[in-house]
Amino acid sequence: MKDKIIKCAFNYIEDLFKNDFGGHDVEHSKRVYQNALLIAKCEPECDLFVVSLAALLHDVDDHKLFHTENNANARAFLESVQLDQNQIDRICELMNGISFSKNRGVRPETLEGKIVQDADRLDAIGAIGIARTFAFGGERKRPLSATVQHFYDKLLLLKDEMNTAEGKRIAEHRHQLMVDFLQELNNEMHINETE
Ligand code: ADP
Ligand code: NI
């Protein structure tokens, strides 16, 4: 039954994000799900069903993409697969607690929230984070030099805000890759000054 609901959640997001490309497409939600499973393996106490659904659905009411109130998309889906109201409330509350901009500096209270927040943040850093950032900058028609600022405003801060041990471990590697990349980028952008 639980496997079937997770399969339905995959189908639901495939359809919902079918016109979105770049940083916020369905592939992002699927990677967050995979990251969440990796972290959850190291956190045996967690409720894997809640982690799975929250990871897959965490952006279905993102205000940048949808004009919904009170997690309307997530609720409609979770009701359609007949989850009970308590569980629906719990998953929605968890998803509302993980957004970076809405909860600056506030950590999720539940283990499941911590896992999904880390999983989402991992997808914002490392090689994939670099790719998403420039895709976003391109979409907004910003030059590379302006887009780079986002690394200093947000992405380089994420490593120290991870909640779980496994999240921290993966973040260290991805963080270093961004540091190395920015160093190289800076060298290449200012090549004429050193020649
Ligand atoms: P999510 O909702 O998945 O946590 P965001 O909506 O904050 O992520 O951002 C989606 C992607 O766009 C991320 O990879 C993020 O780094 C990138 N992004 C967000 N804001 C900017 C910005 N001002 N400049 C460049 N990239 C950005
Ligand atoms: Ni996300």
Side-chain angles (χ1 to χ4, degrees), residues 24 28 59 62 64 120 132-133 136 142 150 154-155:
H24 254 123
H28 163 64
D59 272 340
D62 188 302
K64 291 188 274 336
D120 193 26
R132 290 179 75 207
T133 298
F136 182 101
R142 291 186 188 143
H150 187 61
K154 173 176 171 184
L155 306 184

Side-chain angles (χ1 to χ4, degrees), residues 46-106:
C46 77
D47 182 334
L48 195 57
F49 183 57
V50 168
V51 166
S52 301
L53 284 178
L56 287 169
L57 300 174
H58 80 277
D59 272 340
V60 303
D61 290 289
D62 188 302
H63 65 271
K64 291 188 274 336
L65 302 171
F66 309 104
H67 301 285
T68 50
E69 299 261 340
N70 191 26
N71 307 88
N73 283 341
R75 285 180 187 281
F77 169 76
L78 294 168
E79 280 163 17
S80 77
V81 292
Q82 266 126 43
L83 247 64
D84 70 62
Q85 206 54 50
N86 276 344
Q87 220 166 4
I88 295 177
D89 289 344
R90 191 175 153 212
I91 292 171
C92 289
E93 210 172 292
L94 187 161
M95 292 191 295
N96 294 340
I98 68 166
S99 144
F100 180 87
S101 50
K102 278 190 245 160
N103 302 281
R104 204 59 227 274
V106 182

Side-chain angles (χ1 to χ4, degrees), residues 9-187:
F10 266 91
N11 293 340
Y12 173 69
I13 59 172
E14 289 270 7
D15 188 52
L16 191 72
F17 291 105
K18 65 175 181 285
N19 297 318
D20 295 305
F21 308 98
H24 254 123
D25 50 25
V26 68
E27 291 178 8
H28 163 64
S29 297
K30 289 183 181 176
R31 287 191 303 268
V32 172
Y33 171 69
Q34 294 301 339
N35 291 343
L37 292 188
L38 264 185
I39 299 171
K41 262 196 199 157
C42 302
E43 302 287 344
E45 320 269 86
C46 77
D47 182 334
L48 195 57
F49 183 57
V50 168
V51 166
S52 301
L53 284 178
L56 287 169
L57 300 174
H58 80 277
D59 272 340
V60 303
D61 290 289
D62 188 302
H63 65 271
K64 291 188 274 336
L65 302 171
F66 309 104
H67 301 285
T68 50
E69 299 261 340
N70 191 26
N71 307 88
N73 283 341
R75 285 180 187 281
F77 169 76
L78 294 168
E79 280 163 17
S80 77
V81 292
Q82 266 126 43
L83 247 64
D84 70 62
Q85 206 54 50
N86 276 344
Q87 220 166 4
I88 295 177
D89 289 344
R90 191 175 153 212
I91 292 171
C92 289
E93 210 172 292
L94 187 161
M95 292 191 295
N96 294 340
I98 68 166
S99 144
F100 180 87
S101 50
K102 278 190 245 160
N103 302 281
R104 204 59 227 274
V106 182
R107 286 176 192 267
E109 281 167 21
T110 63
L111 176 58
E112 291 75 16
K114 291 182 167 112
I115 293 172
V116 179
Q117 186 178 66
D118 279 5
D120 193 26
R121 287 175 170 176
L122 285 178
D123 204 55
I125 61 176
I128 199 76
I130 295 171
R132 290 179 75 207
T133 298
F134 289 106
F136 182 101
E139 214 172 35
R140 298 287 164 101
K141 305 202 189 313
R142 291 186 188 143
L144 294 190
S145 56
T147 301
V148 165
Q149 188 55 37
H150 187 61
F151 287 91
Y152 300 96
D153 291 344
K154 173 176 171 184
L155 306 184
L156 292 171
L157 312 180
L158 292 179
K159 154 178 93 67
D160 292 328
E161 297 194 21
M162 302 300 285
N163 306 297
T164 64
E166 183 63 359
K168 284 190 181 118
R169 194 186 66 77
I170 304 172
E172 286 291 340
H173 174 81
R174 295 190 181 196
H175 179 85
Q176 191 55 46
L177 187 115
M178 291 193 296
V179 170
D180 294 344
F181 169 79
L182 289 168
Q183 179 66 56
E184 285 284 330
L185 186 70
N186 193 46
N187 292 346

